[in-house]
Amino acid sequence: MTGFSTNAIHGGRNPHKDQHGALRQPVYDSVAFEHESAEDIYQVFAGRKPRHAYSRITNPTVEEFENRIRLLSGSFAVIAVSSGMAAISNVLLALAGNSTNIITSRNLFGNTLSLMEHTLKPWGLETRFVSMTDPEEISAAIDHRTRAVFLETITNPQLEITDIQAVADISAAHGIPLIVDNTVTTPYLFRSKDFGVNIEVLSSTKYISGGATSVGGLIIDNGNFNWDNSPRLVDWAKKTGAMALTASLRKEVYRNIGSCLAPHHAYLHSLGLETMSLRIEKSCANALAVARFLRLHKKVVAVNYPGLTESANHDIAAKQFNHRFGGILTFDLESRERCFALINSLQLIRRASNVNDNKTLILHPASTIFYEYSSETLAKMNVRQTMIRLSVGIEDVTDIIHDLEVGLAAL
Ligand SMILES: *Cc1c(COP(=O)(O)O)cnc(C)c1O
């Protein structure tokens, strides 16, 4: 069996040889595809002939990206979408509905929390917040109207890490699918199906896009959930069996919402995949070195990085993520004013809200991505005014550390 990096470069390619022998598949920036006859186009629309018809539904460049991800994640089916948020929205809309609930943690990506608490609530979907590290609380929150358990591999910015197999055992015992947001670990660090995860969602905007080139998302079905148990999908399960989720998305939710990935973005993300393992290795190694530097600095009150052996999450992270600990860390200074002063002083590190870019990025979460939340909610989410988030890139680590060192010295 070939390895991850080899597959990322050679795998999942279109079986049809390009007419010019191009090593890279051309980008099919075309909305519609032509067919031989009326009968032909009828067969395509009825799903009996696997051809492309219209790019909101399928597109050859997008499909090539999906095939590569399917190979790399060892999964059953993949749908690429326009953003990470589109991936999460599509899956929740396909599985849940009015008078149902989903179980999750308060430690969530800000827009995911907003989607659940603000956008989907008026449609009758209740979100129940529990501690993902407390199995009894999860079990107690589940009832016959629960449609999914949702968690993130490493929460941002808390960097909380759940024992995912333990949560998967609980959700499986209740016949409920477990959805995991694998954005910051990707299938390179976390093979979700080996830990009992049923559905994986990802923002491919981050590590996969190859350096923050474009926005995109992925829905990955591991093919290990019996969709007869999902009230919204039983009819699809009768017709399509294991394909129920993918079919309901492709032929209904994803198609009707119109959250397709642009072919050009699929091309950029396929290109990004080819160097992803190198970039992740480097950003994880750099993050560990930066965390070790900050831990010893007098002006730094605390450092949170799962790669530090004293971190409460160190052992579970090592086990789940193949001894890598991600590219994101947080650290606390004495005050919000000091955080702002450090951020303002930096010369190399960029002030921006993305993560897992090639560039090292810095941000004060409480005043930016979490600005809309009250101080009570912030406290519940463990987002402090004294906390800075650093997403460590792939520059020379000595330069990243030098920038921080100069900035801290000036405080
Ligand atoms: C960025 C991010 C998202 C949203 O992805 P977009 O591509 O920006 O829509 C969702 N989850 C996590 C963990 C993220 O970091």
Side-chain angles (χ1 to χ4, degrees), residues 21-323:
L23 277 176
R24 237 176 238 307
Q25 198 196 37
V27 183
Y28 288 92
D29 258 332
S30 178
V31 171
F33 299 85
E34 193 182 16
H35 303 275
E36 294 303 317
S37 64
E39 290 75 16
D40 237 32
I41 195 162
Y42 164 62
Q43 297 292 339
V44 172
F45 269 76
R48 284 193 281 269
K49 209 167 188 188
R51 292 276 308 277
H52 301 283
Y54 190 74
S55 284
R56 174 159 44 73
I57 303 164
T58 62
N59 170 281
T61 311
V62 177
E63 189 174 60
E64 192 204 19
F65 175 51
E66 291 169 340
N67 287 340
R68 285 188 187 214
I69 294 288
R70 190 157 49 86
L71 181 74
L72 292 176
S73 56
S75 64
F76 176 69
V78 173
I79 300 182
V81 292
S82 55
S83 69
M85 289 317 303
I88 298 166
S89 316
N90 270 276
V91 170
L92 294 182
L93 290 169
L95 293 178
N98 187 20
S99 301
T100 66
N101 65 71
I102 49 170
I103 313 283
T104 189
S105 147
R106 272 217 173 265
N107 295 346
L108 281 183
F109 177 69
N111 290 172
T112 305
L113 185 66
S114 174
L115 170 75
M116 293 172 179
E117 280 202 309
H118 301 139
T119 312
L120 294 177
K121 200 174 177 179
W123 298 91
L125 177 63
E126 181 197 349
T127 308
R128 295 184 176 172
F129 296 103
V130 298
S131 161
M132 280 294 158
T133 52
D134 183 344
E136 280 174 20
E137 214 185 312
I138 302 171
S139 287
I142 294 176
D143 64 18
H144 70 289
R145 293 185 175 279
T146 303
R147 295 295 177 260
V149 176
F150 183 99
L151 61 86
E152 294 173 4
T153 53
I154 304 181
T155 73
N156 164 13
Q158 304 85 4
L159 309 184
E160 180 183 273
I161 299 172
T162 302
D163 181 339
I164 296 174
Q165 182 67 61
V167 178
D169 291 343
I170 297 170
S171 63
H174 288 86
I176 292 164
L178 173 62
I179 307 168
V180 169
D181 183 331
N182 194 15
T183 298
V184 299
T185 28
T186 81
Y188 179 61
L189 297 185
F190 179 60
R191 244 179 115 78
S192 69
K193 104 176 165 180
D194 295 348
F195 293 84
V197 174
N198 305 112
I199 307 297
E200 190 178 317
V201 288
L202 278 124
S203 165
S204 52
T205 315
K206 314 291 164 58
Y207 271 133
I208 294 177
S209 77
T213 59
S214 42
V215 177
L218 288 159
I219 301 166
I220 299 178
D221 181 353
N222 281 329
N224 55 359
F225 188 78
N226 180 357
W227 296 113
D228 293 335
N229 292 335
S230 172
R232 274 295 297 281
L233 295 180
V234 275
D235 290 342
W236 286 105
K238 281 187 197 123
K239 280 186 276 181
T240 65
M243 288 300 285
L245 177 68
T246 304
S248 89
L249 287 166
R250 197 70 89 180
K251 292 174 191 287
E252 189 201 311
V253 180
Y254 158 86
R255 185 196 67 185
N256 295 352
I257 298 247
S259 47
C260 54
L261 182 65
H264 186 65
H265 289 181
Y267 168 77
L268 291 173
H269 290 208
S270 282
L271 194 59
L273 265 187
E274 297 188 3
T275 54
M276 186 173 79
S277 60
L278 292 173
R279 290 183 286 105
I280 292 181
E281 290 291 351
K282 177 90 174 180
S283 103
C284 292
N286 281 358
L288 182 59
V290 172
R292 285 178 175 157
F293 159 77
L294 289 170
R295 179 179 53 176
L296 298 175
H297 201 285
K298 291 192 307 296
K299 289 184 184 162
V300 176
V301 176
V303 181
N304 183 12
Y305 182 64
L308 296 176
T309 47
E310 66 265 29
S311 159
N313 294 319
H314 181 75
D315 293 346
I316 187 69
K319 183 175 138 205
Q320 286 179 168
F321 311 137
N322 199 18
H323 298 272

Side-chain angles (χ1 to χ4, degrees), residues 364-386:
H364 180 254
S367 64
T368 54
I369 32 184
F370 294 98
Y371 81 94
E372 66 190 279
Y373 294 102
S374 66
S375 42
E376 270 175 5
T377 309
L378 288 187
K380 274 194 230 160
M381 296 177 78
N382 216 359
V383 176
R384 297 171 300 278
Q385 293 292 343
T386 51

